[in-house]
Amino acid sequence: MQPKPPISGIIYGEIAYWIAIVGMIIGVVGLAIYLGSGGGVMSPDMISDLLSGKSPKELWEKHSILRKMPESPHWYVNYIGKGDAIAMLGIVICCTSAIVAMWATTVTLFVKREVKILYGIFALIVSTIMTLAALGIISLHH
Amino acid sequence: MEGFRMGRAGLIVGLTVLIMSIGVASAQELTNPAIFAGTLFVVCTLIGIVAVLAGVGGGVIFTPVMMGFTNIDSYIIRATGLTVAMGGALVAARPFLRRGLANIKMLLFAAVPYTVFAVIGALLAGYVKATMGTFGEGVIRFALGILVIFIGLVFIFAGKRIEYPEVKHVDSFTERLGLAMAYWEESLGRVVDYKVTRAWLAMLCFCGVGLISGLFGLGAGWAMVPVFNLIMLAPLKVSAACSKVLIGIGDTAAVWPYMIGGGIVPLFTIPSLIGLILGTLIGAKIMLKVKAGFVRWLIIAIMFASGIRLILKGLGMMGVM
């Protein structure tokens, strides 16, 4: 008799996988648009400075249409028609996939009670840390 | 035997041609966005192939190679290193969880210290960058150089893994957690019902592994598999599966402080991410046909070369050399 894998684990795997795949596809489409249109929020001239070791702040100040470092990683929202903004959206979706999946797993663990409640608490702690990091609440404000 | 030799020769020739073609691209050509993205994609595909053949994750090679052999800002490289490690792990996790190979209880138990310390490592990276400038960049490169040489030594001297470790004594802490779980082992055609032990020690180790992963932007499978397999005494396949899933969880949390710090440059991140995942898929196909034990030594050589470059660069930035 083959043991059945816990449904909470399967839920994590499926959600994380599919959201990550969608994010990657959007990222590739964004990159293709950027390369096809010859620019975006960041000018292509940025590459020589990137290769010479300039910091993210210097790159944003010199080569972006914002002329300054964005305050939020969600800068793409205001420029969603541009290739690199679409690519950034893809990356953000990819980086959010495990958070959504972990919350779904947490809920499943509490509802289904497949394993000890302690593991539901562990999942809740991890989900909370991931969410706080994504919201920028756990960050260095320098 | 002849087919094996042909495959091995073909792989070496292919790798050499690719490396030479990348070397031929001049710095001037690289500033063209399409050539830059294409070159990065090819390099990362190559890293992905070699990594799979050597039995490691691409994330552990990407960061040292990029930091050792390019001048790109280390914060951007580390942010991308975490993203590629995370992306690869998210894609790979699905079959392990569907088959029950990844133990959800062990995963969640390890995820707490690993995630907390990966985030602390990422915050520490931001702090060093903000307060220590070029000296801080030098310290990070130097420390990563030492770490990468240590990882190379681990590959040489501590490569011994145990497929089904025997657990003679389960301590009371691990017993109370009830971490053990059974899974169906296809190759044996039976259920493997295993025990684990020393969870408290593993928890301490995951704190350190998380800190290293977050601070240096490295995938941490090289450290997590031994913790699961040699400290907790979980079966090797379970250890590898748990490690892969755990990277996806912990590195997701760690990548956000980098993203907020502006470390993600889409033109750099997307070709790296897609290249490494494609390379991993190609590598997995090649692995079925080619006995690639020699690639392990190639990886060790890459690790040592990157480590030495990182140490020299780090010392230069710190003003020591």
Side-chain angles (χ1 to χ4, degrees), chain A residues 30-52:
Chain A
L31 181 67
I33 294 171
Y34 182 84
L35 296 176
S37 62
V41 176
M42 283 273 206
S43 139
D45 302 339
M46 169 267 297
I47 296 168
S48 56
D49 277 347
L50 174 75
L51 289 170
S52 68

Side-chain angles (χ1 to χ4, degrees), chain A residues 5 14 53 69 95 116 119 140, chain B residues 71 98 123 127 176-177 261:
Chain A
E14 293 296 319
M69 181 97 164
C95 294
K116 280 183 189 173
Y119 295 100
L140 283 178
Chain B
N71 289 325
R98 275 174 86 98
L123 293 174
Y127 179 78
R176 258 180 271 153
L177 285 169

Side-chain angles (χ1 to χ4, degrees), chain B residues 38-57:
Chain B
T39 308
L40 197 57
F41 176 77
V42 171
V43 170
C44 289
T45 305
L46 206 62
I47 290 176
I49 294 171
V50 174
V52 168
L53 293 178
V56 294

Side-chain angles (χ1 to χ4, degrees), chain B residues 139-304:
Chain B
V139 171
I140 291 288
R141 283 187 199 250
F142 178 79
L144 181 61
I146 301 283
L147 179 68
V148 164
I149 289 176
F150 171 74
I151 296 171
L153 291 172
V154 168
F155 285 162
I156 296 175
F157 297 110
K160 195 185 168 194
R161 309 257 166 97
I162 311 161
E163 198 137 6
Y164 299 103
E166 192 189 340
V167 179
K168 287 180 180 153
H169 170 71
V170 180
D171 57 282
S172 60
F173 177 68
T174 314
E175 186 83 62
R176 258 180 271 153
L177 285 169
L179 289 163
M181 231 174 85
Y183 75 97
W184 176 259
E185 179 50 67
E186 202 68 57
S187 62
L188 300 175
R190 67 173 172 86
V191 173
V192 174
D193 202 354
Y194 58 91
K195 289 180 189 167
V196 289
T197 185
R198 294 190 291 233
W200 60 273
L201 181 58
M203 195 166 75
L204 292 177
C205 292
F206 284 120
C207 295
V209 176
L211 191 72
I212 288 170
S213 179
L215 179 60
F216 295 113
L218 283 176
W222 60 273
M224 275 196 275
V225 175
V227 173
F228 281 124
N229 183 231
L230 301 177
I231 292 178
M232 292 183 82
L233 301 181
L236 186 57
K237 273 191 182 177
V238 174
S239 306
C242 285
S243 146
K244 205 68 181 168
V245 182
L246 198 51
I247 290 171
I249 297 170
D251 289 3
T252 295
V255 83
W256 280 97
Y258 279 99
M259 210 186 278
I260 290 162
I264 296 288
V265 176
L267 185 58
F268 182 64
T269 305
I270 294 288
S272 308
L273 177 63
I274 304 300
L276 265 175
I277 290 176
L278 183 71
T280 307
L281 295 174
I282 296 171
K285 292 256 182 211
I286 295 174
M287 200 156 78
L288 296 174
K289 294 174 188 159
V290 180
K291 262 192 170 179
F294 71 99
V295 180
R296 185 168 163 265
W297 292 103
L298 179 65
I299 285 284
I300 290 166
I302 291 172
M303 293 301 238
F304 279 117

